Amino acid sequence: MFSKSFRVKSNTAIKGSDRRKLRTDVAAAFPALSSEQLSELVPNREELNVVKLYAHKGDAVTVYANNRNPVLFELEKTLYPTVYTLWSYPDLLPAFSTWPPVLQRLAGGADLMLPGVMVPSCGLPQVQQGTLCAITLVGNRAPVAVGVATMSTAEMLAAGMKGKGFTVLHAYTDHLCALSLSAQRPVRNVCVSTERMDELLHQCFFHALKCKVKKSELPLLTSTFLRNYMFSCCPEGQQLDIKKSSYKKLSKFLQYMQQQKIIQVKELNKGVESIVHIDWKHSDIKSFVVPEVFSAVSTAPESKCGDGEQLYHAPEIIPLYGVSTKMAPLFQESGHKKGSILSSSEVRHIIISYVKTNELVDETNKNFVKVNPILCDCLLDKWEQDEISKLKWDDLLSRCLEQLQPYHQVTFFGHEPIVRKGNLDPIDITIAQRSSNKKVTIIKNLELYGLDPQLVANTLQQRVQASATINTLPGAKDRVQVQIQGNQINHLAKLLLEEYQLHRKYIQGLEKAPKLSRKK
């Protein structure tokens, strides 16, 4: 709606009685807001303006601005929050996540299509058609768009997560944001300021000492402590980055903790520091309380893994087959028409029943089936029709499956099955050459298997200590790919096959892994 410029009709201050009416209307529209939050959104004394404008399509819109920041807009007597309001109250609306490259398209006026919606392991929020929703980016709770669901959650899943999911009304960086004098502030994670990063650094440090590190593991390399212990204690949706803290370097941070007599660090090898002692009786460690998201692990081990992240369950994938126009006569006797979707076992049962019902088993050799006119038209090429009068059972069944339209069913843990047309694309791994003859590993189609590309990128980045990025997948506006420096296929294979338990047949490109050098 605000992807193009609009014409402002008027801009006036809101006075006492009008403020009270607006506060009442907001309370009715968003009952989850407390009285204190209502007073923040519609204050008694601070600057509050009403801007009346016409959008580029002619829609009359009323915008309410608090200290010159648009906080609400009204369209056809319905109130909607802006992204600025949702940054302050991120739980006000049910939120759906998409990939960072999609934001530019949303701000340009595009609606959010379901292939661009990330399905988390904990499931999608339950909404009905017409529900007002927030749209966030993967790994960031801050909403970047406001939209209306075009269908219910159940209908989204039943549609195989295809089609338009949300009509987008407003997105970050659109022309509505331009009304704000401070609209150029960046969309942020919860912890990007130095103070918040320091808090996160301390939290992960004490969490790792209290719950992760064992005395038998000392001495422990400081780099290993950061990579394997502190990173795993970082809450979901946040990213630990020491460079954004006041300490800037891990060595400086650990030096401070040594001054507090919490740990002792020594250089056991030249240029390599290790933690050699931890005072678990220190008051700061004893008083540290594990965040609720992690403490829930002990009460629900089956739903979360040891580091507090959602436990990934490989989806159940079943190939299915659709009855095509050419094959319809063969399936007519069993009551199936064009478009019917069947499993391989159902197809096998129908074909066997058809053969026996029509007495097509060869009397002289029961391993063969006689080809009648329907089987001839459905299964044989034109040049074969005058030459082949019998088919082996295996040949008959394989030809039948080849002539049917491919479908597949994907069932994610705790969700209803999703049926999609076509074969399921494998996770595609390729090696590309970049400038200065450097190689990068590119991973596509992770979303199809319920994997969060951002989480995979973060995991690989921490393990191999190489830069990893998320980019828009060429030719697929609502999909992304992971790119990481170097040939990391061996590490990726271990992650996908051993930890995520995906079957090798759903991964393409593992043969491009570098050969491991043999120890002499």
Side-chain angles (χ1 to χ4, degrees):
M1 173 172 290
F2 302 106
S3 60
K4 297 182 180 179
S5 59
F6 45 74
R7 180 168 60 88
V8 176
K9 179 182 178 183
S10 63
N11 185 347
T12 57
I14 303 178
K15 298 184 179 179
S17 59
D18 292 331
R19 290 190 184 220
R20 288 191 292 272
K21 181 181 182 303
L22 177 60
R23 192 179 294 116
T24 301
D25 292 342
V26 173
F30 308 106
L33 290 173
S34 65
S35 57
E36 183 180 344
Q37 290 171 331
L38 284 170
S39 297
E40 292 175 353
L41 197 57
V42 187
N44 289 322
R45 296 184 179 181
E46 294 179 24
E47 181 183 357
L48 191 65
N49 287 58
V50 56
V51 181
K52 295 191 176 182
L53 53 86
Y54 292 104
H56 70 279
K57 290 185 178 180
D59 298 307
V61 183
T62 301
V63 178
Y64 298 95
N66 183 344
N67 285 321
R68 302 187 183 184
N69 282 331
V71 292
L72 300 161
F73 64 96
E74 186 175 355
L75 177 66
E76 296 180 352
K77 297 183 179 181
T78 301
L79 279 171
Y80 302 94
T82 66
V83 291
Y84 297 127
T85 296
L86 293 177
W87 290 352
S88 299
Y89 314 109
D91 297 322
L92 183 62
L93 303 177
F96 292 76
S97 293
T98 187
W99 313 108
V102 177
L103 174 57
Q104 185 177 359
R105 298 180 183 277
L106 300 183
D111 292 322
L112 181 59
M113 309 302 286
L114 288 176
V117 176
M118 195 273 288
V119 181
S121 56
C122 57
L124 293 171
Q126 295 299 313
V127 300
Q128 298 300 318
Q129 181 181 2
T131 300
L132 184 62
C133 301
I135 298 168
T136 66
L137 301 181
V138 173
N140 191 342
R141 289 189 65 218
V144 295
V146 179
V148 176
T150 62
M151 61 183 83
S152 67
T153 304
E155 291 169 331
M156 292 178 190
L157 296 172
M161 295 303 289
K162 291 186 176 181
K164 184 166 78 172
F166 301 88
T167 300
V168 176
L169 303 175
H170 155 57
Y172 179 69
T173 72
D174 65 11
H175 284 267
L176 179 59
C177 290
L179 281 176
S180 169
L181 293 180
S182 58
Q184 299 307 314
R185 59 186 175 183
V187 180
R188 305 179 296 170
N189 277 330
V190 179
C191 52
V192 283
S193 67
T194 300
E195 295 81 5
R196 294 302 297 273
M197 187 57 72
D198 284 354
E199 290 177 13
L200 182 61
L201 190 59
H202 282 248
Q203 175 185 315
C204 295
F205 173 78
F206 286 111
H207 186 175
L209 294 186
K210 189 165 187 173
C211 303
K212 301 283 185 179
V213 182
K214 298 177 182 178
K215 189 175 182 179
S216 59
E217 295 173 317
L218 299 179
L220 181 64
L221 289 173
T222 56
S223 58
T224 302
F225 174 65
L226 174 66
R227 183 173 63 251
N228 294 349
Y229 295 87
M230 289 184 64
F231 277 147
S232 68
C233 292
C234 187
E236 183 178 359
Q238 301 188 35
Q239 187 169 359
L240 185 61
D241 189 342
I242 295 178
K243 292 180 181 179
K244 292 180 180 179
S245 71
S246 61
Y247 301 94
K248 304 302 180 185
K249 295 181 179 180
L250 176 63
S251 58
K252 189 176 178 181
F253 171 71
L254 295 179
Q255 184 181 7
Y256 170 78
M257 290 300 174
Q258 183 168 254
Q259 292 171 355
Q260 305 303 310
K261 298 183 178 179
I262 299 172
I263 60 172
Q264 185 179 356
V265 178
K266 283 187 177 181
E267 190 177 292
L268 299 182
N269 295 308
K270 188 176 182 180
V272 181
E273 292 186 332
S274 298
I275 299 174
V276 296
H277 174 73
I278 299 172
D279 183 6
W280 277 284
K281 294 182 180 180
H282 195 283
S283 58
D284 287 354
I285 297 179
K286 293 179 69 176
S287 62
F288 176 77
V289 178
V290 177
E292 185 178 345
V293 66
F294 290 98
S295 61
V297 173
S298 59
T299 59
E302 72 284 352
S303 63
K304 294 185 179 239
C305 60
D307 58 8
E309 294 175 350
Q310 290 290 334
L311 182 63
Y312 173 76
H313 295 268
E316 180 186 9
I317 302 167
I318 300 174
L320 298 175
Y321 303 88
V323 178
S324 60
T325 302
K326 181 181 179 181
M327 296 291 285
L330 182 54
F331 288 81
Q332 190 172 358
E333 288 186 11
S334 61
H336 295 91
K337 301 179 181 179
K338 176 188 173 183
S340 297
I341 299 177
L342 306 164
S343 66
S344 58
S345 59
E346 290 172 325
V347 172
R348 182 183 180 87
H349 176 73
I350 291 169
I351 297 302
I352 292 173
S353 297
Y354 176 84
V355 170
K356 291 183 177 179
T357 301
N358 290 275
E359 299 180 348
L360 298 177
V361 178
D362 186 52
E363 299 87 355
T364 58
N365 188 343
K366 292 186 178 181
N367 291 324
F368 285 84
V369 174
K370 294 181 289 186
V371 176
N372 68 357
I374 289 180
L375 289 176
C376 179
D377 291 340
C378 292
L379 304 180
L380 300 182
D381 291 330
K382 287 186 178 181
W383 64 272
E384 295 178 314
Q385 293 179 359
D386 294 331
E387 298 180 8
I388 298 178
S389 59
K390 298 177 185 179
L391 289 171
K392 284 187 176 182
W393 275 105
D394 289 345
D395 191 16
L396 173 71
L397 294 169
S398 62
R399 283 173 179 259
C400 185
L401 292 176
E402 288 173 1
Q403 294 296 330
L404 294 172
Q405 294 178 336
Y407 283 77
H408 65 274
Q409 175 180 291
V410 180
T411 306
F412 294 104
F413 181 75
H415 293 271
E416 293 296 317
I418 299 173
V419 176
R420 298 190 181 105
K421 193 173 183 178
N423 294 313
L424 180 62
D425 292 332
I427 293 175
D428 183 52
I429 306 170
T430 56
I431 302 298
Q433 206 86 8
R434 293 293 185 258
S435 59
S436 302
N437 217 22
K438 293 181 179 178
K439 293 181 179 180
V440 295
T441 304
I442 299 174
I443 312 124
K444 305 173 186 176
N445 301 330
L446 291 167
E447 311 98 315
L448 301 181
Y449 295 81
L451 287 168
D452 179 352
Q454 187 66 60
L455 179 59
V456 172
N458 291 346
T459 302
L460 288 172
Q461 183 173 349
Q462 292 169 12
R463 292 187 182 181
V464 305
Q465 295 295 293
S467 174
T469 58
I470 302 291
N471 304 309
T472 303
L473 184 64
K477 62 181 181 179
D478 295 319
R479 299 262 293 281
V480 296
Q481 63 183 17
V482 174
Q483 179 175 301
I484 186 165
Q485 289 182 351
N487 187 331
Q488 308 298 348
I489 295 182
N490 283 321
H491 294 280
L492 188 57
K494 183 176 181 181
L495 181 67
L496 297 177
L497 297 174
E498 298 179 18
E499 297 185 34
Y500 293 158
Q501 295 290 301
L502 286 168
H503 197 285
R504 184 176 288 269
K505 68 180 179 181
Y506 297 120
I507 306 171
Q508 177 178 286
L510 293 178
E511 71 281 357
K512 300 166 187 172
K515 294 182 179 180
L516 299 175
S517 58
R518 296 181 180 179
K519 294 183 179 180
K520 294 182 179 181

